[in-house]
Amino acid sequence: MAEVPTSLVLRRPDDWHVHLRDGAMLRAVLPATARTFARAIVMPNLRPPVTSVDAAEAYRSRILESLPEGISFEPLMTAYLTDDLDPDELARGFAQDVFRAAKLYPANATTNSAAGVSDLSRISSVLTCMEAIDMPLLIHGEVTDPDVDVFDREALFIERHLKPLRQRHPRLRIVLEHITTEESAIYIREAYQSGDDRIAATITPHHLHLNRNAMFMGGLRSDFYCLPVVKRECHRRALVNAATSGLPCFFLGTDSAPHPRSGKESSCGCAGIFNSLHALESYAVIFEQENALGRLEGFASEHGPNFYRLPLNEDTVTLVRRDQQVPLKLREPPSPPTGEESLPETEWPVLFHGGEILPWSIECGC
Ligand code: DOR
Ligand code: ZN
């Protein structure tokens, strides 16, 4: 057995997929991301969704205004694709570095996706434009056909939609987001091994830690419900192998998706796990289990920027091997600016790993 290091200095990581929300929830959860990550790809599934350059700029300003003083963090904005988004608007936003990528939600696949794309044929001019300007397409990869079992929706998406899409648009750069299955891990790995560096995948902490039993442990556990839903143990294992493989086609994306308690604890609970506060520590646990701590930096801090063609961060974070007790809920969110509403305590989101002891801590006094 190799000796476990007592501390690990890593190039500061980025989160290549996060939901920062808006208003009181944004103010509550943003410090959890900015504490660890230098940059984040911010999902556009607000209500209403972010479909214009103006809306993305305004959202970016609200994020920056919500940052605690003295913390540097760069939100990287995305456009929400709809059936009728104008390719010129997308290209303008990309040229101005406002949109870093565009997000494809198949209509009704997940939270706030009703305005998403009803059929890929409706956006072929948008995809042609993105291919031409080399703008990454971020995909929530699940079929929405109600006849398809919810556990099979991701694997079927690859066959029904992703493979044909890549044949129609071979130069398009794609991130298959928050992969949850062995089929996705194999598909991405094989593409990379065949010399294709135009597709990559993000992997969340929760899909590395949980299998589907977690949702039914002693009762119905909405805190472990997210989309795509967590799968069987063999899929979790495949994701762990992919994340810790060192291959540049796999990188960090937390898909941290906070919801108010009333949204989770409901007869129709929302999908989403809020994991950003301890995400890096959570990934470290998995990499340590696999004896792959030496590959954590690539996964967390290098493969993502390389895919997005952005510079690597120069500053560092230090993980120390020190137990930390994870609180059940977010600590008190910052107080709101005068005249604005705060998030009532009853609505504070529950933390992933809440109540557990994690063996790694970030050394920064925050
Ligand atoms: O679990 C999820 N929550 N998956 C998604 O795709 C959306 C996200 C959200 O916005 O809550
Ligand atoms: Zn997401």
Side-chain angles (χ1 to χ4, degrees):
M1 270 283 282
E3 218 173 288
V4 179
T6 52
S7 75
L8 207 56
V9 180
L10 301 176
R11 196 183 277 286
R12 193 163 170 211
D14 305 297
D15 185 350
W16 300 99
H17 179 134
V18 70
H19 299 267
L20 292 178
R21 310 303 193 206
D22 214 343
M25 186 60 95
L26 165 64
R27 282 191 299 276
V29 302
L30 178 63
T33 288
R35 157 185 189 260
T36 306
F37 299 104
R39 299 168 288 199
I41 283 277
V42 181
M43 288 298 116
N45 62 334
L46 302 183
R47 259 185 244 199
V50 179
T51 54
S52 67
V53 181
D54 284 354
E57 280 185 312
Y59 184 29
R60 183 170 62 185
S61 300
R62 294 197 297 281
I63 295 170
L64 293 173
E65 280 158 19
S66 305
L67 262 184
E69 224 159 282
I71 295 202
S72 70
F73 170 73
E74 187 184 359
L76 306 172
M77 311 312 289
T78 57
Y80 180 114
L81 296 180
T82 64
D83 281 351
D84 39 38
L85 189 73
D86 182 353
D88 291 345
E89 181 75 359
L90 211 53
R92 185 168 71 89
F94 188 59
Q96 294 174 3
D97 285 343
V98 178
F99 291 142
R100 300 301 184 140
K103 174 73 188 236
L104 166 64
Y105 286 108
N108 301 315
T110 186
T111 311
N112 296 346
S113 63
V117 175
S118 63
D119 190 314
L120 282 175
S121 65
R122 306 282 298 263
I123 58 162
S124 57
S125 61
V126 163
L127 298 176
T128 302
C129 163
M130 291 177 66
E131 196 176 10
I133 62 178
D134 210 15
M135 179 179 192
L137 174 70
L138 316 183
I139 300 184
H140 182 111
E142 287 193 285
V143 297
T144 53
D145 182 345
D147 291 338
V148 175
D149 190 287
V150 71
F151 291 96
D152 297 334
R153 289 182 186 178
E154 181 176 294
L156 206 57
F157 183 89
I158 297 175
E159 299 305 321
R160 275 195 194 167
H161 301 296
L162 186 55
K163 287 182 178 173
L165 168 77
R166 298 195 70 223
Q167 268 173 357
R168 290 194 302 272
H169 301 281
R171 309 273 324 142
L172 189 58
R173 284 196 304 130
I174 293 175
V175 183
L176 187 58
E177 306 237 74
H178 42 54
I179 59 169
T180 65
T181 58
E182 184 172 21
E183 287 87 343
S184 292
I186 291 173
Y187 179 69
I188 300 291
R189 185 190 295 250
E190 286 183 351
Y192 176 76
Q193 284 170 342
S194 72
D196 181 351
D197 62 357
R198 308 191 81 76
I199 187 156
T202 54
I203 305 181
T204 76
H206 43 283
H207 289 103
L208 293 175
H209 278 271
L210 305 177
N211 66 35
R212 65 190 191 175
N213 288 351
M215 286 184 294
F216 308 106
M217 226 172 13
L220 197 54
R221 304 281 200 117
S222 61
D223 286 326
F224 297 130
Y225 172 58
C226 63
L227 285 170
V229 71
V230 290
K231 308 288 191 307
R232 283 180 182 278
E233 177 63 9
C234 59
H235 295 290
R236 187 191 74 82
R237 282 293 333 156
L239 299 175
V240 168
N241 288 339
T244 59
S245 65
L247 292 178
C249 52
F250 298 111
F251 49 84
L252 186 158
T254 63
D255 197 16
S256 184
H259 288 277
R261 286 313 293 152
S262 57
K264 291 296 283 179
E265 292 173 3
S266 139
S267 60
C268 186
C270 301
I273 293 179
F274 175 51
N275 62 27
S276 47
L277 190 59
H278 301 93
L280 188 61
E281 298 94 312
S282 177
Y283 284 114
V285 169
I286 298 289
F287 277 70
E288 182 181 346
Q289 280 167 5
E290 298 303 300
N291 233 326
L293 278 172
R295 293 178 174 166
L296 180 58
E297 185 172 47
F299 177 79
S301 317
E302 293 172 356
H303 304 167
N306 288 343
F307 184 86
Y308 278 87
R309 300 192 178 137
L310 289 170
L312 303 184
N313 297 316
E314 288 303 329
D315 50 343
T316 59
V317 292
T318 303
L319 276 171
V320 290
R321 220 177 181 296
R322 185 178 61 226
D323 283 356
Q324 63 168 318
Q325 170 84 46
V326 179
L328 290 173
K329 287 187 179 185
L330 196 59
R331 276 171 301 212
E332 193 166 357
S335 39
T338 338
E340 291 194 32
E341 283 186 19
S342 64
L343 194 64
E345 190 172 343
T346 48
E347 295 289 25
W348 292 356
V350 155
L351 297 176
F352 184 49
H353 293 300
E356 293 173 31
I357 291 176
L358 288 174
W360 291 96
S361 306
I362 295 180
E363 197 173 68
C364 64
C366 44

